[in-house]
Amino acid sequence: MDVDGRAGSQRRALKQWPAEGVTRVPYWVYTDPEIYELETKRIFEGGSWNYVGLEAELPHPGDFRMSHVGPRPVIACRTNQGAISVLPNRCAHRGVQFCRSGFGNTTEFTCPYHQWTYNLYGKLVGAPFRKGVQGKGGMPPDFAPNEHGLPVLAVARRNGVIFAAFGESPPPIEEYIGPKMLPYFDRVFDGRALRVLGYSKQRIPSNWKLMFENIKDPYHASLLHVFLVTFGLFRADQPSETRMDTTGMHSVLVSSRGEQKGNAATAEMKSFRGDLKLNDSRLLDPVREYPGKATVVMQTLWPNLIVQQQTNTLATRQIVPRGPREFDLAWTFFGYADDTAAMTTRRLRQANLMGPAGFVSIDDSEVMQFSQQGISQDSSGAGFLEMGGRGTGDEDHMVTEAAIRAFYTHYRRVMKL
Amino acid sequence: MKPDGLRAQIEALFYEYADAIDEDRIEEWPEFFVEQGVYKIVSRQNFDRGLPLATMLCESKGMMKDRVNAIRNLSMYAPRYFRHLIANVRVKSETAEGIAVQSNYAVMQTLVDGETRVFNAGRCVDQIVREGDFLKFKSRLCIYDTIVIPNSLIYPL
């Protein structure tokens, strides 16, 4: 007992958040398997709405797609009543991950092992040999099929976007996103029918939180990304905002496109190339399509979603953690059902900026790998986050790490760290 | 031209193309295409479901040159080597429009401080035309089986 006690207190000491607070992020949050287990329970399964897909992917009754809530595989289905159900992809009998197709249409799911069969609502509708064979074997007489269905997840929908939650149902999705973040969400998901243009998936060898930090960090964008900086797609000298909800769990980075023109600010950006010209300018060719001045809104929604609107390229990016040192980033590129052919072509061309081969996002996925490698050298260090001061409030500029500090404020609360 | 002779010519084109990428002569890559040539890398998942998204899309030699410029001068990534293996080369048809060819490929990636791993596997569906003495791609569509890409796709396949 003494040994256990000492090990426990040593562990607590190792995992003591630095006294400076959220201006420091200890490296063990990116490497420690126990922290990862805690995150799975407290964040992804702990009363949060996880993005699982778009309604446009499931137009017909019986349509389903595989997805994830945190690291756990789930199946999102369009039921016969037009509603959406989300089922864990794990048989209630012996735990087999039974669904093997990414997408499909079905009336029921049958586990291949012992053919337990579930309907689209997760109800157990068949278990072979339940009453035995030739009077022998079978389940005990008190076997109640309604006690052995799949533990379905809570589901929320807003303007064609599907969220799901394990365990206790979180507050209504509008309340969860909050009044400050909801208008940014509704800007892209404005109720129009969506059209999925396609998917990309990449496996990034870094902790999942580094992805969130990246999209909450406008400071890096003006320095790392030649494409954004040079073509004025997102740059520190342009009118910009960094906004958080009241908890710090969600945030947006907002900016308006500028010109490829050098000034005092770009002089400090090594990545600004005044002389860079595209051989084929159809790659960009931006068209304004939303009201207001903003031409880019990058929204992060706790705990697994990034909504990307950069010029005319729209995508959801779903974070699927795979242990402390690796995650999958699942991109769903979309437009609207009423897009003209020219707009669809424009979106497909601008998709060259994003995804595993994106002119912009390559820089990010690579640097996240470098981050993880550096952090893993010695978990006793901590990141230093004082750009823009030490606060966690909104800013009308990009030269700040406030949204990351806000994220870790909420993270510490949820994780009890 | 006997079919075997044509296939040998096409294989030579494929090997030169792969060599330009594998041996770090990426500037030569657009020159394997006609001026309005199209190059697309599409996941098998998108292709099979009729979804138009490409992971990499170039609709002209100009866009390919922009991609080369990004690879050489603009993007930030860990240095790496690519190594192509090409097999199952089949001439499907030869018409006035061009020569339709299919082949399989596997690309090994070696991060310079890492192990060599199969990075991407799939098939190429090509339209090839004669331009003077040379065979050139009118279009090259790489359909990859490796739906989960190990981190970043830097070079064309």
Side-chain angles (χ1 to χ4, degrees):
Chain A
M1 206 142 100
D2 186 35
V3 173
D4 284 356
R6 206 165 2 174
S9 65
Q10 270 175 4
R11 201 156 46 229
R12 272 193 298 281
L14 279 173
K15 288 183 197 160
Q16 193 76 49
W17 200 282
E20 294 91 337
V22 292
T23 61
R24 303 291 185 279
V25 178
Y27 288 158
W28 43 260
V29 301
Y30 307 101
T31 56
D32 190 302
E34 284 182 19
I35 290 291
Y36 176 76
E37 288 301 317
L38 262 183
E39 289 174 343
T40 303
K41 295 293 165 226
R42 290 189 182 161
I43 295 175
F44 296 106
E45 295 171 19
S48 56
W49 285 120
N50 285 253
Y51 169 84
V52 292
L54 301 172
E55 289 199 59
E57 300 172 286
L58 310 169
H60 307 298
D63 284 349
F64 69 87
R65 68 157 292 183
M66 280 212 274
S67 187
H68 289 84
V69 165
R72 290 179 62 179
V74 299
I75 313 160
C77 317
R78 174 75 65 179
T79 66
N80 294 320
Q81 272 72 49
I84 301 286
S85 65
V86 177
L87 317 172
N89 189 359
R90 184 164 78 170
C91 185
H93 176 213
R94 300 264 291 274
V96 170
Q97 196 169 306
F98 56 84
C99 180
R100 311 306 304 182
S101 311
F103 294 86
N105 184 281
T106 189
T107 53
E108 57 191 25
F109 295 99
T110 299
C111 176
Y113 204 2
H114 305 89
Q115 292 172 21
W116 281 37
T117 299
Y118 307 94
N119 68 13
L120 299 175
Y121 301 90
K123 188 170 180 258
L124 182 65
V125 293
F129 306 153
R130 184 184 147 196
K131 307 218 183 278
V133 175
Q134 295 171 344
K136 292 179 182 172
M139 290 292 178
D142 62 356
F143 177 81
N146 60 8
E147 288 170 10
H148 297 275
L150 299 171
V152 298
L153 283 78
V155 176
R157 292 186 275 173
R158 179 154 182 100
N159 293 344
V161 185
I162 309 166
F163 299 89
F166 276 107
E168 245 177 87
S169 183
I173 188 71
E174 291 74 17
E175 205 179 302
Y176 178 84
I177 297 175
K180 217 169 133 192
M181 290 291 118
L182 203 58
Y184 294 107
F185 183 84
D186 289 352
R187 184 170 181 272
V188 167
F189 301 112
D190 57 7
R192 274 185 288 169
L194 305 178
R195 179 190 168 200
V196 171
L197 299 177
Y199 304 92
S200 285
K201 199 178 230 187
Q202 56 191 135
R203 184 154 293 169
I204 299 179
S206 89
N207 185 274
W208 65 276
K209 296 187 291 300
L210 289 169
M211 184 72 250
F212 262 151
E213 290 183 26
N214 180 268
I215 304 295
K216 291 171 184 286
D217 170 15
Y219 173 28
H220 87 278
S222 281
L223 302 165
L224 174 63
H225 299 304
V226 176
F227 252 78
L228 293 185
V229 170
T230 299
F231 296 115
L233 298 176
F234 192 94
R235 200 171 66 206
D237 58 318
Q238 296 162 196
S240 309
E241 299 164 18
T242 305
R243 298 261 178 273
M244 278 68 80
D245 74 319
T246 50
T247 64
M249 67 203 286
H250 317 303
S251 65
V252 286
L253 306 184
V254 183
S255 188
S256 316
R257 190 166 46 246
E259 292 175 355
Q260 186 180 352
K261 217 163 72 181
N263 57 34
T266 57
E268 249 194 283
M269 302 174 199
K270 282 191 188 130
S271 45
F272 179 79
R273 307 284 172 88
D275 57 345
L276 176 62
K277 280 215 163 48
L278 292 174
N279 288 290
D280 190 332
S281 59
R282 292 179 298 170
L283 178 74
L284 289 170
D285 182 30
V287 165
R288 183 174 290 279
E289 59 174 320
Y290 298 102
K293 286 189 180 145
T295 56
V296 46
V297 175
M298 301 294 294
Q299 184 166 40
T300 45
L301 288 176
W302 176 278
N304 76 335
L305 176 63
I306 295 158
V307 182
Q308 160 203 314
Q309 181 259 311
Q310 167 54 273
T311 314
N312 306 109
T313 175
L314 312 176
T316 59
R317 304 184 196 171
Q318 181 184 6
I319 295 170
V320 181
R322 294 172 51 83
R325 293 161 195 268
E326 185 174 87
F327 71 97
D328 282 351
L329 190 62
W331 306 65
T332 304
F333 288 80
F334 61 90
Y336 301 101
D338 62 3
D339 279 346
T340 61
M343 181 56 97
T344 299
T345 301
R346 182 177 289 113
R347 296 196 201 287
L348 292 170
R349 285 179 182 147
Q350 290 180 13
N352 273 305
L353 298 174
M354 301 297 177
F359 286 127
V360 176
S361 49
I362 278 176
D363 303 336
D364 289 324
S365 47
E366 289 290 304
V367 91
M368 281 188 274
Q369 174 169 12
F370 302 173
S371 291
Q372 188 70 32
Q373 286 171 338
I375 284 164
S376 302
Q377 291 170 15
D378 173 4
S379 292
S380 69
F384 172 77
L385 294 140
E386 295 193 1
M387 184 49 94
R390 301 190 176 97
T392 58
D394 292 352
E395 302 286 359
D396 287 320
H397 60 83
M398 286 187 192
V399 200
T400 180
E401 289 165 328
I404 307 177
R405 292 190 289 269
F407 172 82
Y408 279 106
T409 303
H410 186 68
Y411 178 85
R412 290 185 66 187
R413 196 158 46 225
V414 172
M415 291 286 287
K416 302 186 173 79
L417 286 170
Chain B
M1 180 77 58
K2 282 182 192 163
D4 281 356
L6 178 61
R7 204 180 71 174
Q9 280 190 5
I10 286 165
E11 284 184 352
L13 170 72
F14 286 2
Y15 298 160
E16 290 303 321
Y17 171 101
D19 217 39
I21 297 169
D22 296 350
E23 295 304 320
D24 198 26
R25 292 181 278 110
I26 192 72
E27 285 77 6
E28 294 175 18
W29 169 66
E31 303 308 323
F32 289 90
F33 290 80
V34 300
E35 202 59 37
Q36 292 309 314
V38 173
Y39 179 72
K40 275 190 200 187
I41 301 178
V42 175
S43 82
R44 185 170 179 165
Q45 183 188 38
N46 289 338
F47 184 82
D48 289 350
R49 300 187 71 221
L51 297 171
L53 180 78
T55 303
M56 194 183 287
L57 170 66
C58 299
E59 292 168 295
S60 65
K61 213 187 238 189
M63 281 196 200
M64 292 176 214
K65 288 177 180 167
D66 291 332
R67 181 59 74 169
V68 168
N69 187 33
I71 293 167
R72 267 294 182 249
N73 305 309
L74 312 180
S75 296
M76 196 290 298
Y77 56 88
R80 67 200 61 207
Y81 305 126
F82 259 24
R83 183 67 58 196
H84 283 71
L85 299 180
I86 297 160
N88 298 48
V89 178
R90 285 145 295 154
V91 176
K92 305 296 266 191
S93 68
E94 187 177 5
T95 65
E97 299 288 291
I99 311 157
V101 184
Q102 274 203 39
S103 58
N104 291 354
Y105 69 86
V107 172
M108 266 46 97
Q109 179 171 273
T110 311
L111 294 176
V112 291
D113 59 350
E115 309 147 48
T116 299
R117 291 191 178 156
V118 177
F119 173 73
N120 197 286
R123 67 187 156 115
C124 289
V125 178
D126 302 320
Q127 277 289 330
I128 294 168
V129 292
R130 291 180 193 284
E131 202 178 79
D133 291 340
F134 299 100
L135 289 176
K136 295 213 169 181
F137 292 103
K138 189 176 162 193
S139 67
R140 163 151 266 207
L141 170 63
C142 305
I143 305 163
Y144 61 93
D145 301 339
T146 320
I147 287 169
V148 183
I149 292 179
N151 211 9
S152 320
L153 172 63
I154 307 293
Y155 299 110
L157 297 170

